[in-house]
Amino acid sequence: MIEIAIVAGLILLNGVFAMSELAVVSASKPLLRSMSERGQRGASAALALAEQPGRFLSTVQVGITLIGIVAGAFSGATLGGSLAEALYAAGLPETASSALGYGGVVAIITYLQVVIGELVPKQFALRNAEAIACLVASPMATLSRIAAPVVWLLDASTRLIFRILGMSETNEDTVTEEEIKSMVAQAAETGVIERDEKRMIAGVLRLSDRRARSVMTPRTDVELMMFDEDFTVLQAQLNKARHSRVPIASEDSDNIIGVLVMREYFAAQPKDHRALKRLLRTPQVVPDTMGALDVLDTLRQADFPLALVLDEYGHFEGIVTPADILEAIAGVFKSDLDDNEDDEAVRREDGSWLLAGSLTADELADRLGLDLPEKRDYQTLAGFIIDHMQHIPATGEVLEHEGWRFEVVDMDGRRVDKVLAAPLPIAPLL
C-alpha cells in the first residue's frame, strides 16, 4: 500500500507541475499586471514567471523529468516485481509473469500519468489560468532558486539554440486588432457583452483606420446657403432650415465664409447681411485624407466643434461634427433620418438585406461578412457598387461578389439610393 501511495503522490505532483506550466504560460499578462496592482497575493510572482518563460519552463521540465524517472524506476522495481510474483504464484510461466508484471505496471502508470498527471490538471489550468498562476507562482519561484544551476543550464542551452536558428526566444507581448475583434465576438456569442456593445467596440476599432471623408456628412446632404442672395430670400431660406448649423458660402459654393448657428440666428433676428455676417462662426478646416481620430482631436480642441472637409483641390466635400464621429461608432440615430428615409440596413425574413447606398463600406463588411481591402477608393455601398461595375448603374443592374447578389433597386438621379443584397445559393458538391 505504501508503494501505491508513493506512486499516486508522484503522479499528483506531476499534475501540479503540468497545471502550473499551462496556467502561467496561458495567463493574460495585462490581467496579471492589473491583479498585481490591486495587491492580489501571488500576482506579482506569477507576472515575473510569465515574463521569464525560459527559466520557468526549465524549472517545470526539471520537476517533470525527475518525477518521471523516479516514478518509472520505483513502480518498476516495487509494483512491477510484486505483480510479477503474484502472476507467477497464480501459475503463469516465469517469463510471461515477468513480462506481464512489469509491462502491466508500466501501462497502468503511463495511463494514470497521462490522464491524472497531464490532461486533467491542464484542463483545470485553462478554466482559470490567472487564479491558478497566482496560487502556484511562489512555490515555483522557490523551486527555481533551489534548482538554479540546472535551470540555468537548460535555459542557456535553449537560448543558444534559438540564436543559432536566428529566432527570438519569446514572442513580443502584443495583442493584435484581429485578436481583440475575435475576443469581442466570442464575448458577444457567450453573452458576456451585448451585441450592441460589440458593434460599438468594432466601430471604435475601425475609427483609427477611417478618414475624414468616410465619417463626414457629404456635401450633397449639407444644407448650404449662399450669402449673396437677396436678404429677404436668404432670410426665408434660413427660417425653413432643417439643421442646427448651416454653412454659408459667398460667390461660390466652395467658398465657405462661416457657419451660422440657428439658435443664435433666431435669438438675434438680424435685419441685413452685415448683421448676419457678425453671427457667423469660423469652422475648422481639415483635408479629406485626415484620420478620423485626428479629426476627433481637432474638434475636441476647437472653440466651435465643426470642421469643413476639403479635397486636395480645395473643393468643399462635406462637414464633420462630434455627432458624425458618434454615428461612426454607434450607428445612425433614427431622429437624424429624413421623414422619407428608412434605416440604412434592414434585414428581411428571407435573409436578404435592403441597404441604403449611403451605408458605410465598413458597416457593409460587418453586416455581410465581406472582406474589403483596407485601401480603397470608396467609402459607401454606392461607391462599392460603382467601383466594381466601373460605371453609374441603372435600376435593376446586378453585381455578384463574395457569395452575395447586389441588385440596384432604386436610383436617386445618378446616385445609388437602395440596394437589395441576397446570399447566392450554395452550389451542390459533385
Side-chain angles (χ1 to χ4, degrees):
M1 291 298 295
I2 295 177
E3 292 85 353
I4 295 176
I6 292 173
V7 172
L10 290 172
I11 292 173
L12 291 175
L13 187 58
N14 190 92
V16 170
F17 277 102
M19 181 176 65
S20 303
E21 178 184 23
L22 195 59
V24 173
V25 170
S26 61
S28 167
K29 291 182 185 178
L31 187 53
L32 287 177
R33 195 171 290 113
S34 175
M35 294 166 70
S36 177
E37 291 171 355
R38 295 198 305 268
Q40 182 161 334
R41 186 176 180 181
S44 296
L47 183 60
L49 292 178
E51 290 179 341
Q52 290 186 318
R55 288 183 57 82
F56 169 67
L57 292 175
S58 297
T59 302
V60 171
Q61 196 58 51
V62 168
I64 290 177
T65 302
L66 287 176
I67 290 171
I69 293 172
V70 173
F74 185 80
S75 60
T78 56
L79 299 179
S82 300
L83 182 57
E85 291 175 2
L87 293 173
Y88 181 72
L92 285 178
E94 182 177 355
T95 304
S97 61
S98 178
L100 288 174
Y102 287 101
V105 167
V106 169
I108 293 171
I109 296 300
T110 302
Y111 169 78
L112 293 176
Q113 191 140 347
V114 169
V115 176
I116 299 176
E118 292 283 347
L119 297 179
V120 172
K122 287 181 177 179
Q123 289 289 339
F124 274 118
L126 289 174
R127 290 173 185 270
N128 201 344
E130 289 77 20
I132 294 175
C134 293
L135 183 65
V136 302
S138 295
M140 287 295 160
T142 301
L143 181 60
S144 179
R145 288 192 292 270
I146 294 172
V150 179
V151 169
W152 177 87
L153 176 62
L154 295 178
D155 187 32
S157 301
T158 303
R159 284 188 276 111
L160 176 61
I161 293 173
F162 270 100
R163 286 200 193 98
I164 293 173
L165 297 175
M167 299 169 60
S168 174
E169 182 186 358
T170 58
N171 291 327
E172 294 182 5
D173 185 19
T174 57
V175 179
T176 66
E177 184 174 321
E178 288 303 318
E179 289 174 327
I180 295 175
K181 289 179 179 178
S182 177
M183 288 187 287
V184 170
Q186 185 177 2
E189 289 294 330
T190 57
V192 175
I193 63 174
E194 299 293 335
R195 292 193 176 275
D196 285 340
E197 289 178 307
K198 173 195 169 186
R199 287 176 55 190
M200 285 189 282
I201 292 171
V204 171
L205 293 175
R206 284 199 306 264
L207 206 56
S208 62
D209 300 323
R210 300 181 69 170
R211 297 290 178 261
R213 173 179 286 275
S214 70
V215 297
M216 71 181 183
T217 300
R219 176 175 179 161
T220 53
D221 295 334
V222 174
E223 198 171 14
L224 179 67
M225 296 189 184
M226 300 301 296
F227 184 78
D228 307 306
E229 290 276 9
D230 179 79
F231 189 76
T232 303
V233 175
L234 178 58
Q235 192 174 39
Q237 292 174 345
L238 289 171
N239 289 338
K240 295 179 181 179
R242 296 176 289 109
H243 297 92
S244 60
R245 299 181 181 94
V246 176
I248 306 295
S250 176
E251 297 180 357
D252 183 271
S253 58
D254 287 325
N255 182 31
I256 310 296
I257 61 174
V259 176
L260 183 63
V261 179
M262 297 308 298
R263 181 179 65 252
E264 297 174 357
Y265 165 77
F266 287 118
Q269 290 293 320
K271 303 300 182 183
D272 53 31
H273 284 89
R274 183 179 299 176
L276 178 64
K277 193 169 185 177
R278 287 197 293 267
L279 295 176
L280 297 182
R281 299 286 198 96
T282 302
Q284 302 295 309
V285 177
V286 299
D288 61 354
T289 55
M290 178 181 279
L293 290 178
D294 293 328
V295 174
L296 177 60
D297 188 55
T298 299
L299 295 175
R300 188 185 294 118
Q301 298 181 33
D303 294 329
F304 181 57
L306 183 146
L308 305 178
V309 181
L310 306 183
D311 68 11
E312 60 182 313
Y313 303 106
H315 297 153
F316 173 58
E317 293 293 318
I319 63 173
V320 178
T321 67
D324 292 312
I325 303 294
L326 177 60
E327 182 179 300
I329 296 172
V332 180
F333 291 87
K334 192 174 182 65
S335 59
D336 291 337
L337 298 172
D338 294 335
D339 293 337
N340 59 349
E341 271 190 301
D342 298 320
D343 291 340
E344 286 192 316
V346 178
R347 188 162 195 175
R348 310 196 320 170
E349 291 184 1
D350 61 357
S352 62
W353 288 85
L354 184 61
L355 306 171
S358 58
L359 183 72
T360 65
D362 291 317
E363 185 72 12
L364 172 68
D366 280 350
R367 298 272 187 177
L368 305 188
L370 301 180
D371 185 18
L372 301 182
E374 291 186 8
K375 294 183 179 180
R376 51 183 182 262
D377 296 328
Y378 55 86
Q379 304 295 336
T380 64
L381 170 58
F384 165 81
I385 296 291
I386 294 171
D387 183 74
H388 283 79
M389 289 188 175
Q390 291 296 301
H391 65 269
I392 303 298
T395 301
E397 284 200 64
V398 171
L399 165 70
E400 293 185 357
H401 182 77
E402 288 190 18
W404 288 87
R405 180 181 187 273
F406 298 91
E407 180 183 355
V408 179
V409 295
D410 186 39
M411 293 289 294
D412 183 7
R414 301 180 66 186
R415 185 178 69 173
V416 178
D417 188 38
K418 294 292 181 183
V419 175
L420 182 64
L424 291 171
I426 300 174
L429 297 175
L430 296 177

